[in-house]
Amino acid sequence: MAGHFEALPGGGAAVALDEVEISILRSLTVQLLELIGPGDEPAQGEDPLAALFAEGPSEPPSDPALARLFPDAYGGPEAEDGESEEVREFSAEFRRYTENDLRTRKRDDALVVVRNLDALTATGEGGAVLKLTADDSLHWLGALNDLRLTIGTRLEVADEDEGGDLYRLPDSDPRKPMVMAYLWLGALQETLVETLTP
């Protein structure tokens, strides 16, 4: 079980993590929460139904990692120069009505990860076995994906090469720890998907 998720009877998954892995996962997830930003709680006395229909931003985020987490629905950065005004309007409209919900879901996924890690009790070897319910496993999948997208964007990993030369970085390269985290998160994500696949 060390280093990869295994299926639990009745659904869910488990993975053994040492103290360093727990610390890294928690730190990266807290950083993701800071990047996503705080939630918009309805003000006291505000109609919760009205909050459901609150409009979000219409412009894509300027931070490349946030732009990757909250992409345009139509076109994208590569299509910006040649896209029509109509396509830009459709993208803005879609973003206005969906980004707040997407942001809330990503925040909820990350919060489940932090809470699960905080609830762990150490074993005698300085680690712990994380046991997730089926629902928590889905939150973890979302958060692991978001962490990989964020780190991949910071490392400028292209979708088509999934790392390329980054895998061969010398130990002295300052990007090496982040590349190692990116690869480790990918392995965790892959084994978690396998546990949930019938």
PDB file of all heavy atoms in Angstrom, residues 150-171:
ATOM      1  N   THR A 150      -2.001  22.882 -11.578  1.00  0.00           N
ATOM      2  CA  THR A 150      -1.322  24.084 -11.085  1.00  0.00           C
ATOM      3  C   THR A 150       0.189  23.939 -11.178  1.00  0.00           C
ATOM      4  O   THR A 150       0.873  24.819 -11.710  1.00  0.00           O
ATOM      5  CB  THR A 150      -1.742  24.365  -9.626  1.00  0.00           C
ATOM      6  OG1 THR A 150      -3.162  24.521  -9.578  1.00  0.00           O
ATOM      7  CG2 THR A 150      -1.077  25.615  -9.093  1.00  0.00           C
ATOM      8  N   ILE A 151       0.709  22.829 -10.671  1.00  0.00           N
ATOM      9  CA  ILE A 151       2.160  22.610 -10.709  1.00  0.00           C
ATOM     10  C   ILE A 151       2.634  22.484 -12.154  1.00  0.00           C
ATOM     11  O   ILE A 151       3.666  23.053 -12.527  1.00  0.00           O
ATOM     12  CB  ILE A 151       2.546  21.368  -9.882  1.00  0.00           C
ATOM     13  CG1 ILE A 151       2.279  21.626  -8.398  1.00  0.00           C
ATOM     14  CG2 ILE A 151       4.017  21.003 -10.097  1.00  0.00           C
ATOM     15  CD1 ILE A 151       2.391  20.387  -7.521  1.00  0.00           C
ATOM     16  N   GLY A 152       1.890  21.754 -12.973  1.00  0.00           N
ATOM     17  CA  GLY A 152       2.255  21.609 -14.385  1.00  0.00           C
ATOM     18  C   GLY A 152       2.315  22.952 -15.099  1.00  0.00           C
ATOM     19  O   GLY A 152       3.197  23.194 -15.920  1.00  0.00           O
ATOM     20  N   THR A 153       1.391  23.850 -14.774  1.00  0.00           N
ATOM     21  CA  THR A 153       1.404  25.185 -15.379  1.00  0.00           C
ATOM     22  C   THR A 153       2.622  25.962 -14.925  1.00  0.00           C
ATOM     23  O   THR A 153       3.294  26.612 -15.729  1.00  0.00           O
ATOM     24  CB  THR A 153       0.110  25.949 -15.011  1.00  0.00           C
ATOM     25  OG1 THR A 153      -1.003  25.204 -15.482  1.00  0.00           O
ATOM     26  CG2 THR A 153       0.090  27.326 -15.637  1.00  0.00           C
ATOM     27  N   ARG A 154       2.925  25.892 -13.638  1.00  0.00           N
ATOM     28  CA  ARG A 154       4.103  26.599 -13.114  1.00  0.00           C
ATOM     29  C   ARG A 154       5.401  26.061 -13.735  1.00  0.00           C
ATOM     30  O   ARG A 154       6.349  26.804 -13.961  1.00  0.00           O
ATOM     31  CB  ARG A 154       4.181  26.495 -11.591  1.00  0.00           C
ATOM     32  CG  ARG A 154       3.015  27.125 -10.856  1.00  0.00           C
ATOM     33  CD  ARG A 154       3.083  28.627 -10.894  1.00  0.00           C
ATOM     34  NE  ARG A 154       2.113  29.210  -9.980  1.00  0.00           N
ATOM     35  CZ  ARG A 154       1.171  30.071 -10.347  1.00  0.00           C
ATOM     36  NH1 ARG A 154       1.065  30.445 -11.605  1.00  0.00           N
ATOM     37  NH2 ARG A 154       0.337  30.554  -9.459  1.00  0.00           N
ATOM     38  N   LEU A 155       5.414  24.758 -14.017  1.00  0.00           N
ATOM     39  CA  LEU A 155       6.596  24.136 -14.634  1.00  0.00           C
ATOM     40  C   LEU A 155       6.574  24.244 -16.158  1.00  0.00           C
ATOM     41  O   LEU A 155       7.508  23.803 -16.818  1.00  0.00           O
ATOM     42  CB  LEU A 155       6.673  22.653 -14.244  1.00  0.00           C
ATOM     43  CG  LEU A 155       6.983  22.344 -12.795  1.00  0.00           C
ATOM     44  CD1 LEU A 155       6.792  20.860 -12.512  1.00  0.00           C
ATOM     45  CD2 LEU A 155       8.397  22.791 -12.433  1.00  0.00           C
ATOM     46  N   GLU A 156       5.492  24.802 -16.700  1.00  0.00           N
ATOM     47  CA  GLU A 156       5.300  24.940 -18.141  1.00  0.00           C
ATOM     48  C   GLU A 156       5.298  23.594 -18.857  1.00  0.00           C
ATOM     49  O   GLU A 156       5.883  23.424 -19.924  1.00  0.00           O
ATOM     50  CB  GLU A 156       6.339  25.890 -18.744  1.00  0.00           C
ATOM     51  CG  GLU A 156       6.236  27.291 -18.169  1.00  0.00           C
ATOM     52  CD  GLU A 156       7.267  28.253 -18.725  1.00  0.00           C
ATOM     53  OE1 GLU A 156       8.190  27.814 -19.450  1.00  0.00           O
ATOM     54  OE2 GLU A 156       7.144  29.447 -18.427  1.00  0.00           O
ATOM     55  N   VAL A 157       4.627  22.622 -18.230  1.00  0.00           N
ATOM     56  CA  VAL A 157       4.474  21.307 -18.837  1.00  0.00           C
ATOM     57  C   VAL A 157       3.378  21.410 -19.896  1.00  0.00           C
ATOM     58  O   VAL A 157       2.272  21.857 -19.611  1.00  0.00           O
ATOM     59  CB  VAL A 157       4.080  20.244 -17.781  1.00  0.00           C
ATOM     60  CG1 VAL A 157       3.769  18.910 -18.445  1.00  0.00           C
ATOM     61  CG2 VAL A 157       5.181  20.093 -16.751  1.00  0.00           C
ATOM     62  N   ALA A 158       3.684  21.009 -21.096  1.00  0.00           N
ATOM     63  CA  ALA A 158       2.698  21.016 -22.182  1.00  0.00           C
ATOM     64  C   ALA A 158       1.910  19.712 -22.132  1.00  0.00           C
ATOM     65  O   ALA A 158       2.448  18.661 -21.786  1.00  0.00           O
ATOM     66  CB  ALA A 158       3.399  21.169 -23.524  1.00  0.00           C
ATOM     67  N   ASP A 159       0.633  19.772 -22.498  1.00  0.00           N
ATOM     68  CA  ASP A 159      -0.217  18.583 -22.467  1.00  0.00           C
ATOM     69  C   ASP A 159       0.357  17.447 -23.301  1.00  0.00           C
ATOM     70  O   ASP A 159       0.306  16.292 -22.915  1.00  0.00           O
ATOM     71  CB  ASP A 159      -1.622  18.908 -22.989  1.00  0.00           C
ATOM     72  CG  ASP A 159      -2.422  19.728 -22.001  1.00  0.00           C
ATOM     73  OD1 ASP A 159      -2.088  19.716 -20.803  1.00  0.00           O
ATOM     74  OD2 ASP A 159      -3.377  20.389 -22.442  1.00  0.00           O
ATOM     75  N   GLU A 160       0.931  17.799 -24.437  1.00  0.00           N
ATOM     76  CA  GLU A 160       1.377  16.748 -25.348  1.00  0.00           C
ATOM     77  C   GLU A 160       2.654  16.040 -24.897  1.00  0.00           C
ATOM     78  O   GLU A 160       2.864  14.886 -25.213  1.00  0.00           O
ATOM     79  CB  GLU A 160       1.561  17.281 -26.775  1.00  0.00           C
ATOM     80  CG  GLU A 160       2.486  18.473 -26.920  1.00  0.00           C
ATOM     81  CD  GLU A 160       1.800  19.814 -26.670  1.00  0.00           C
ATOM     82  OE1 GLU A 160       0.600  19.853 -26.372  1.00  0.00           O
ATOM     83  OE2 GLU A 160       2.486  20.840 -26.756  1.00  0.00           O
ATOM     84  N   ASP A 161       3.512  16.717 -24.100  1.00  0.00           N
ATOM     85  CA  ASP A 161       4.746  16.024 -23.719  1.00  0.00           C
ATOM     86  C   ASP A 161       4.768  15.590 -22.262  1.00  0.00           C
ATOM     87  O   ASP A 161       5.643  14.827 -21.865  1.00  0.00           O
ATOM     88  CB  ASP A 161       5.985  16.860 -24.044  1.00  0.00           C
ATOM     89  CG  ASP A 161       6.145  18.098 -23.185  1.00  0.00           C
ATOM     90  OD1 ASP A 161       5.403  18.282 -22.198  1.00  0.00           O
ATOM     91  OD2 ASP A 161       7.031  18.900 -23.500  1.00  0.00           O
ATOM     92  N   GLU A 162       3.796  16.075 -21.449  1.00  0.00           N
ATOM     93  CA  GLU A 162       3.689  15.690 -20.045  1.00  0.00           C
ATOM     94  C   GLU A 162       5.037  15.708 -19.325  1.00  0.00           C
ATOM     95  O   GLU A 162       5.361  14.835 -18.545  1.00  0.00           O
ATOM     96  CB  GLU A 162       3.055  14.303 -19.907  1.00  0.00           C
ATOM     97  CG  GLU A 162       1.563  14.328 -19.836  1.00  0.00           C
ATOM     98  CD  GLU A 162       0.989  15.071 -18.642  1.00  0.00           C
ATOM     99  OE1 GLU A 162       1.361  14.762 -17.503  1.00  0.00           O
ATOM    100  OE2 GLU A 162       0.184  15.967 -18.867  1.00  0.00           O
ATOM    101  N   GLY A 163       5.857  16.695 -19.567  1.00  0.00           N
ATOM    102  CA  GLY A 163       7.077  16.853 -18.793  1.00  0.00           C
ATOM    103  C   GLY A 163       8.335  16.885 -19.612  1.00  0.00           C
ATOM    104  O   GLY A 163       9.223  17.667 -19.332  1.00  0.00           O
ATOM    105  N   GLY A 164       8.444  16.051 -20.622  1.00  0.00           N
ATOM    106  CA  GLY A 164       9.615  16.044 -21.489  1.00  0.00           C
ATOM    107  C   GLY A 164      10.931  16.069 -20.732  1.00  0.00           C
ATOM    108  O   GLY A 164      11.237  15.159 -19.976  1.00  0.00           O
ATOM    109  N   ASP A 165      11.692  17.131 -20.947  1.00  0.00           N
ATOM    110  CA  ASP A 165      13.021  17.249 -20.346  1.00  0.00           C
ATOM    111  C   ASP A 165      12.992  17.444 -18.833  1.00  0.00           C
ATOM    112  O   ASP A 165      14.021  17.286 -18.179  1.00  0.00           O
ATOM    113  CB  ASP A 165      13.774  18.421 -20.988  1.00  0.00           C
ATOM    114  CG  ASP A 165      14.096  18.169 -22.453  1.00  0.00           C
ATOM    115  OD1 ASP A 165      14.190  16.984 -22.836  1.00  0.00           O
ATOM    116  OD2 ASP A 165      14.244  19.146 -23.210  1.00  0.00           O
ATOM    117  N   LEU A 166      11.853  17.782 -18.285  1.00  0.00           N
ATOM    118  CA  LEU A 166      11.774  17.977 -16.835  1.00  0.00           C
ATOM    119  C   LEU A 166      12.120  16.704 -16.076  1.00  0.00           C
ATOM    120  O   LEU A 166      12.619  16.750 -14.961  1.00  0.00           O
ATOM    121  CB  LEU A 166      10.379  18.451 -16.427  1.00  0.00           C
ATOM    122  CG  LEU A 166      10.011  19.873 -16.819  1.00  0.00           C
ATOM    123  CD1 LEU A 166       8.572  20.171 -16.430  1.00  0.00           C
ATOM    124  CD2 LEU A 166      10.947  20.881 -16.158  1.00  0.00           C
ATOM    125  N   TYR A 167      11.860  15.551 -16.695  1.00  0.00           N
ATOM    126  CA  TYR A 167      12.155  14.285 -16.026  1.00  0.00           C
ATOM    127  C   TYR A 167      13.656  14.049 -15.878  1.00  0.00           C
ATOM    128  O   TYR A 167      14.077  13.252 -15.055  1.00  0.00           O
ATOM    129  CB  TYR A 167      11.545  13.108 -16.795  1.00  0.00           C
ATOM    130  CG  TYR A 167      10.042  13.149 -16.863  1.00  0.00           C
ATOM    131  CD1 TYR A 167       9.382  12.880 -18.048  1.00  0.00           C
ATOM    132  CD2 TYR A 167       9.274  13.461 -15.750  1.00  0.00           C
ATOM    133  CE1 TYR A 167       7.992  12.909 -18.119  1.00  0.00           C
ATOM    134  CE2 TYR A 167       7.894  13.498 -15.813  1.00  0.00           C
ATOM    135  CZ  TYR A 167       7.264  13.221 -16.990  1.00  0.00           C
ATOM    136  OH  TYR A 167       5.895  13.255 -17.051  1.00  0.00           O
ATOM    137  N   ARG A 168      14.441  14.746 -16.658  1.00  0.00           N
ATOM    138  CA  ARG A 168      15.887  14.531 -16.645  1.00  0.00           C
ATOM    139  C   ARG A 168      16.644  15.701 -16.014  1.00  0.00           C
ATOM    140  O   ARG A 168      17.818  15.900 -16.283  1.00  0.00           O
ATOM    141  CB  ARG A 168      16.369  14.271 -18.071  1.00  0.00           C
ATOM    142  CG  ARG A 168      15.822  12.984 -18.651  1.00  0.00           C
ATOM    143  CD  ARG A 168      16.282  12.739 -20.079  1.00  0.00           C
ATOM    144  NE  ARG A 168      15.636  13.602 -21.058  1.00  0.00           N
ATOM    145  CZ  ARG A 168      14.402  13.446 -21.521  1.00  0.00           C
ATOM    146  NH1 ARG A 168      13.659  12.473 -21.070  1.00  0.00           N
ATOM    147  NH2 ARG A 168      13.901  14.263 -22.423  1.00  0.00           N
ATOM    148  N   LEU A 169      15.975  16.479 -15.190  1.00  0.00           N
ATOM    149  CA  LEU A 169      16.635  17.621 -14.552  1.00  0.00           C
ATOM    150  C   LEU A 169      17.705  17.145 -13.579  1.00  0.00           C
ATOM    151  O   LEU A 169      17.510  16.156 -12.866  1.00  0.00           O
ATOM    152  CB  LEU A 169      15.619  18.456 -13.765  1.00  0.00           C
ATOM    153  CG  LEU A 169      14.630  19.293 -14.553  1.00  0.00           C
ATOM    154  CD1 LEU A 169      13.672  19.991 -13.592  1.00  0.00           C
ATOM    155  CD2 LEU A 169      15.331  20.318 -15.412  1.00  0.00           C
ATOM    156  N   PRO A 170      18.837  17.855 -13.513  1.00  0.00           N
ATOM    157  CA  PRO A 170      19.840  17.505 -12.505  1.00  0.00           C
ATOM    158  C   PRO A 170      19.310  17.870 -11.115  1.00  0.00           C
ATOM    159  O   PRO A 170      18.444  18.730 -10.965  1.00  0.00           O
ATOM    160  CB  PRO A 170      21.048  18.374 -12.881  1.00  0.00           C
ATOM    161  CG  PRO A 170      20.479  19.497 -13.677  1.00  0.00           C
ATOM    162  CD  PRO A 170      19.255  18.969 -14.362  1.00  0.00           C
ATOM    163  N   ASP A 171      19.831  17.212 -10.099  1.00  0.00           N
ATOM    164  CA  ASP A 171      19.389  17.467  -8.728  1.00  0.00           C
ATOM    165  C   ASP A 171      19.603  18.913  -8.308  1.00  0.00           C
ATOM    166  O   ASP A 171      18.922  19.411  -7.419  1.00  0.00           O
ATOM    167  CB  ASP A 171      20.104  16.535  -7.749  1.00  0.00           C
ATOM    168  CG  ASP A 171      19.628  15.096  -7.907  1.00  0.00           C
ATOM    169  OD1 ASP A 171      18.551  14.884  -8.496  1.00  0.00           O
ATOM    170  OD2 ASP A 171      20.344  14.192  -7.433  1.00  0.00           O
TER     171      ASP A 171
END
